Amino acid sequence: MTLFEIIILAIIQGVTEFLPISSSGHLLLPAELFGWVSQGLAFDVAVHVGSLLAVMIYFRQEIAQMTVAWVTKGFTKEQNTDSKLAWYVIIATIPAVIIGFVMKDWIELNARTALVIAATTIIFGLALLYADATAKRTQDLTSLNWKQALLIGLAQVLALIPGTSRSGITMTAGLMLGLNRESCARFSFLLSIPVILGAGLLATLDLLQANEAVDWSALLYGAAFSFVSAYLCIYLFLSWISRIGMLPFVIYRLLLGVILLWFVFV
């Protein structure tokens, strides 16, 4: 890859990992528009590392509080908000881990097509629009319970289908359960940590088995630009989401879906 391709793909990964707009659809566009080749397993690992570092550094205070509370109070009757939130992240992660392990190969072979990505980009974009328009948005993370966390986790399973958007579907579920927009986003971002970590580890295992040649400068640039774009994305999204709502992202998803359909049928 050229340096330009590295920068563009890293920024795409960093931004779309957290916005509710589908990373699969965006990573498909450069190949369709410009004929760019696949970035390879090593680069995939690098941009995942960049995104993971961004979300962990941004939420470092929350992560530290949750970890300490989980270790000291998570297995006692004296639970507090932080220990409960740590448990909810664990509970919400379990369904995706189980289903992802069972269905990973089938999804890779059958669902990673431009038509599937276009359809899910549009369908789940409309679902996000419905949830945002009809939701009560009266609860925050302090009122979250394990049943709601599990339902959000079950919704996250749908993100195994390319084009769904992990952040999009978890925010959709959170809104439908009554959480306000910022709380939906925060829980979705916290929930991304074990998911990105798991995806990065799987990609690393695949890389070791493939014995792929490594361009270390490409990995460094990829991780750096993914980190910066992801961190800015999280900061700006949380700053704006309560004011702008989900409509701009829904409109964007619909346009992206139409563009992808055009590539499929034209």
Side-chain angles (χ1 to χ4, degrees):
M1 293 183 293
T2 66
L3 179 59
F4 178 74
E5 292 173 1
I6 290 169
I7 293 172
I8 295 300
L9 290 172
I11 291 174
I12 288 174
Q13 171 63 34
V15 170
T16 59
E17 185 70 50
F18 299 106
L19 291 183
I21 55 176
S22 169
S23 60
S24 303
H26 287 81
L27 291 172
L28 186 67
L29 281 178
E32 293 288 350
L33 289 172
F34 310 115
W36 292 1
V37 297
S38 172
Q39 62 265 38
L41 286 171
F43 188 80
D44 192 39
V45 172
V47 293
H48 274 89
V49 169
S51 299
L52 180 64
L53 287 176
V55 69
M56 291 188 71
I57 290 174
Y58 188 91
F59 288 102
R60 60 191 180 278
Q61 184 175 349
E62 289 91 334
I63 293 171
Q65 292 173 345
M66 289 164 59
T67 302
V68 171
W70 186 76
V71 171
T72 58
K73 298 183 179 181
F75 299 90
T76 71
K77 294 181 179 180
E78 300 177 356
Q79 298 272 354
N80 62 15
T81 300
D82 289 322
S83 65
K84 289 179 181 178
L85 187 56
W87 274 118
Y88 298 156
V89 170
I90 293 170
I91 290 169
T93 301
I94 291 172
V97 171
I98 295 173
I99 303 300
F101 180 79
V102 174
M103 301 292 292
K104 178 179 180 292
D105 291 338
W106 186 91
I107 291 169
E108 289 289 336
L109 290 173
N110 297 280
R112 196 167 292 279
T113 67
L115 181 58
V116 170
I117 293 172
T120 52
T121 297
I122 292 172
I123 291 169
F124 290 108
L126 293 173
L128 179 60
L129 175 64
Y130 174 81
D132 194 45
T134 60
K136 295 180 180 179
R137 302 197 299 271
T138 57
Q139 300 181 46
D140 58 24
L141 289 182
T142 61
S143 60
L144 189 70
N145 59 53
W146 72 268
K147 293 180 181 179
Q148 291 173 314
L150 180 59
L151 288 172
I152 293 172
L154 290 171
Q156 185 174 233
V157 171
L158 294 172
L160 294 170
I161 306 171
T164 301
S165 171
R166 190 207 59 81
S167 57
I169 196 64
T170 52
M171 291 183 203
T172 298
L175 287 167
M176 295 184 74
L177 291 169
L179 292 175
N180 60 47
R181 290 168 178 155
E182 184 176 350
S183 295
C184 286
R186 284 186 171 275
F187 189 66
S188 176
F189 293 158
L190 289 171
L191 198 54
S192 74
I193 294 171
V195 172
I196 298 174
L197 180 60
L201 289 174
L202 287 175
T204 301
L205 291 174
D206 290 340
L207 175 62
L208 293 174
Q209 293 173 359
N211 195 26
E212 182 178 298
V214 175
D215 180 351
W216 292 104
S217 62
L219 302 194
L220 181 61
Y221 281 119
F225 279 96
S226 175
F227 169 81
V228 172
S229 59
Y231 191 92
L232 288 174
C233 171
I234 295 169
Y235 173 79
L236 293 174
F237 188 83
L238 289 174
S239 299
W240 295 344
I241 190 59
S242 294
R243 298 193 300 272
I244 66 174
M246 299 294 182
L247 183 59
F249 304 103
V250 172
I251 294 172
Y252 185 86
R253 284 185 69 122
L254 296 179
L255 291 174
L256 176 62
V258 170
I259 292 171
L260 292 173
L261 287 175
W262 184 84
F263 282 122
V264 171
F265 292 110
V266 175

